Amino acid sequence: MEKRAYEIISHLNREIKIKIIDGHFATKHSHVSHCIDMTEVKSSLNASKAAAKIFADGFIGTPVDTIISLERMKMVGAFLADYLTHAGINARQDIAVISPEITNDKMILRDNFLPYVKGKNVLLLTASATTGQTVNSGIEGIAYYGGTPVGAATVFGGEFACSVPVVKLFGTENIPDYVSFSTQDCPLCRKGVKVDAVVNSYGYSKIV
């Protein structure tokens, strides 16, 4: 399957690349036509810094006390916090970066994390937001714990309604034939096309 992969490079910074594989993939919330491998953005020093800089530029005028990092995006979150504290409204401020538990798509904050969210301006950072469910659930969680959601940042995002500004590095316009379906309404399943792999934030597992 990896032989089918091709690369998309950001026009904003050539250090930022994602790999795309065409096929039939099952995610937590949907079935999709492409697997998007963001391992380099999450794991590479240069790519993480480059991604964080673009996110920071998008929120330079937004007050941020805490960044909630989901889907193994904590290195990007740390660089994002650093960039935000060097310019704009957050200059010379302290910004926390936390990764809460997610259970049944709901954010759970233990008592030790509550002071970083309650009464704070919180930015949500995630790797993928195809249907918007992860982002909107995260925003609901921030509000539930007494925080003020001020924005969301994602490496790849689809088109969805959101109550806060969303900054995306890549979108469906970068993959023109990208489609996402609910598990119940997947036309590939109806045609009997087998699922190539199960995909989550850690990567993909091929179905043999």
Side-chain angles (χ1 to χ4, degrees):
M1 187 166 68
E2 294 86 350
K3 293 178 182 177
R4 305 203 309 260
Y6 60 93
E7 226 173 38
I8 293 180
I9 301 172
S10 170
H11 70 281
L12 297 172
N13 189 313
R14 295 188 63 81
E15 294 282 357
I16 305 170
K17 306 166 191 171
I18 56 176
K19 290 180 181 177
I20 312 297
I21 304 172
D22 298 338
H24 182 195
F25 302 93
T27 74
K28 182 167 57 174
H29 298 134
S30 62
H31 281 201
V32 295
S33 58
H34 297 72
C35 172
I36 302 170
D37 182 357
M38 293 169 270
T39 304
E40 186 169 345
V41 176
K42 297 178 183 183
S43 308
S44 161
L45 176 72
N46 290 340
S48 292
K49 287 180 72 174
K53 180 62 168 66
I54 294 172
F55 289 144
D57 290 344
F59 293 105
I60 198 75
T62 302
V64 177
D65 301 304
T66 298
I67 296 168
I68 287 184
S69 166
L70 306 178
E71 299 181 336
R72 297 172 50 242
M73 289 286 287
K74 201 160 187 180
M75 181 154 75
V76 178
F79 286 126
L80 173 55
D82 187 56
Y83 279 126
L84 286 173
T85 60
H86 279 84
I89 199 169
N90 299 294
R92 294 178 296 281
Q93 301 298 314
D94 189 25
I95 296 178
V97 182
I98 63 172
S99 294
E101 297 170 58
I102 304 293
T103 302
N104 296 325
D105 290 337
K106 299 299 182 184
M107 183 187 302
I108 298 175
L109 287 179
R110 303 295 178 180
D111 292 353
N112 50 308
F113 275 162
L114 283 176
Y116 296 106
V117 174
K118 188 174 183 180
K120 305 294 185 181
N121 296 306
V122 185
L123 178 64
L124 188 70
L125 173 64
T126 186
S128 179
T130 52
T131 65
Q133 190 167 336
T134 297
V135 167
N136 285 315
S137 178
I139 289 168
E140 288 176 11
I142 292 166
Y144 173 81
Y145 285 107
T148 301
V150 295
T154 185
V155 178
F156 177 81
E159 297 300 321
F160 56 88
C162 190
S163 60
V164 298
V166 179
V167 174
K168 298 179 283 190
L169 299 183
F170 299 93
T172 50
E173 68 275 8
N174 299 112
I175 312 172
D177 51 347
Y178 179 92
V179 286
S180 172
F181 302 98
S182 69
T183 305
Q184 297 80 8
D185 297 325
C186 177
L188 295 174
C189 289
R190 289 204 195 105
K191 291 177 183 176
V193 179
K194 77 172 218 139
V195 172
D196 292 303
V198 176
V199 181
N200 65 17
S201 63
Y202 291 93
Y204 61 90
S205 297
K206 288 185 274 190
I207 296 177
V208 181

